[in-house]
Amino acid sequence: IFHFKQKQRSDKMTTILDLIAESRQIVFEVMQAEGELTQEQEERLSTLMQQKQHKAKWLQALYKRCKSESELYAEEIQALQSRRKRAESTANWSRLMLLEILKARIEAGEESKIPHVCHLMKTKTVKHPDRVEDWPKEFVIDGAPKLDKSAIKKAISAGQVVAGCELVEVQSVVIK
């Protein structure tokens, strides 16, 4: 015979699992009694329904609070993404301004570096076709169309001809 003993918790709070187990126990007892519901079982069911109602209200409040917090976090993420985009844009603008200053220095016959600030550096980068359809298939990374530029750079540096691609020298600013 299956007997339910409700576990007593130190904080006297009945859990949802306790309520479900108690419901099952009452159903089992009613089935054992061939469908007859005793006064004691009826009282237990009434108490159980009140406890479930209380738990449901508590869970509703928890749900609403968490949903609200989630929406606030989404707004914060959006605001932070906007701030990040502005910061990246400003950083890129300042890098381009430094590049212009250094190019102007070179044209004026001055050094291509500003001590403790920045200097020009020549690097090689891959120049490739603009249209995705014209990219060399063996260098396209699966998923979103993305070109494996480092693999192309290695291949060209090793003497391999990669259709539509070439290594070009560019000037970039190194900011200290």
Side-chain angles (χ1 to χ4, degrees), residues 124-171:
K124 292 194 180 218
T125 188
V126 174
K127 183 178 178 188
H128 58 82
D130 292 332
R131 293 175 4 121
V132 174
E133 298 82 27
D134 297 335
W135 289 357
K137 305 285 184 259
E138 64 272 18
F139 294 101
V140 175
I141 298 172
D142 291 335
K146 186 175 179 186
L147 203 54
D148 190 350
K149 293 179 186 178
S150 63
I152 293 174
K153 192 173 183 179
K154 286 178 187 174
I156 292 174
S157 296
Q160 185 180 345
V161 175
V162 178
C165 298
E166 63 179 309
L167 281 184
V168 293
E169 198 169 89
V170 294
Q171 287 185 330

Side-chain angles (χ1 to χ4, degrees), residues 79-97:
L80 287 172
Q81 286 173 336
S82 177
R83 289 172 60 188
R84 176 180 173 220
K85 194 172 186 178
R86 280 193 307 270
E88 285 176 350
S89 178
T90 303
N92 192 43
W93 175 83
S94 61
R95 184 185 57 79
L96 291 173
M97 290 299 102

Side-chain angles (χ1 to χ4, degrees), residues 1-169:
I1 295 178
F2 172 71
H3 290 284
F4 171 79
K5 268 191 168 178
Q6 187 169 352
K7 183 177 156 186
Q8 293 297 317
R9 293 173 44 120
S10 61
D11 59 3
K12 304 288 187 211
M13 181 174 250
T14 308
T15 68
I16 293 293
L17 295 176
D18 293 337
L19 296 175
I20 292 169
E22 177 70 10
S23 299
R24 287 183 179 156
Q25 178 63 32
I26 293 170
V27 168
F28 176 76
E29 290 171 6
V30 169
M31 287 172 53
Q32 289 291 13
E34 297 179 0
E36 257 186 66
L37 190 63
T38 66
Q39 180 67 32
E40 183 259 335
Q41 289 169 334
E42 210 170 308
E43 288 171 7
R44 282 172 52 205
L45 274 175
S46 177
T47 302
L48 191 62
M49 293 307 289
Q50 289 172 353
Q51 289 176 330
K52 283 184 178 180
Q53 183 67 22
H54 176 72
K55 282 289 183 189
K57 286 181 181 179
W58 181 84
L59 288 170
Q60 176 193 32
L62 177 64
Y63 169 81
K64 286 182 176 182
R65 191 187 93 222
C66 290
K67 191 70 174 166
S68 177
E69 282 182 21
S70 174
E71 290 167 2
L72 286 173
Y73 294 146
E75 289 173 11
E76 284 182 34
I77 288 170
Q78 192 173 19
L80 287 172
Q81 286 173 336
S82 177
R83 289 172 60 188
R84 176 180 173 220
K85 194 172 186 178
R86 280 193 307 270
E88 285 176 350
S89 178
T90 303
N92 192 43
W93 175 83
S94 61
R95 184 185 57 79
L96 291 173
M97 290 299 102
L98 284 169
L99 180 62
E100 290 301 316
I101 290 170
L102 291 173
K103 284 181 179 179
R105 287 175 61 97
I106 291 171
E107 287 176 12
E110 297 176 27
E111 262 189 292
S112 65
K113 88 179 204 183
I114 301 171
H116 309 293
V117 177
C118 62
H119 65 274
L120 278 180
M121 183 172 89
K122 292 184 179 186
T123 58
K124 292 194 180 218
T125 188
V126 174
K127 183 178 178 188
H128 58 82
D130 292 332
R131 293 175 4 121
V132 174
E133 298 82 27
D134 297 335
W135 289 357
K137 305 285 184 259
E138 64 272 18
F139 294 101
V140 175
I141 298 172
D142 291 335
K146 186 175 179 186
L147 203 54
D148 190 350
K149 293 179 186 178
S150 63
I152 293 174
K153 192 173 183 179
K154 286 178 187 174
I156 292 174
S157 296
Q160 185 180 345
V161 175
V162 178
C165 298
E166 63 179 309
L167 281 184
V168 293
E169 198 169 89

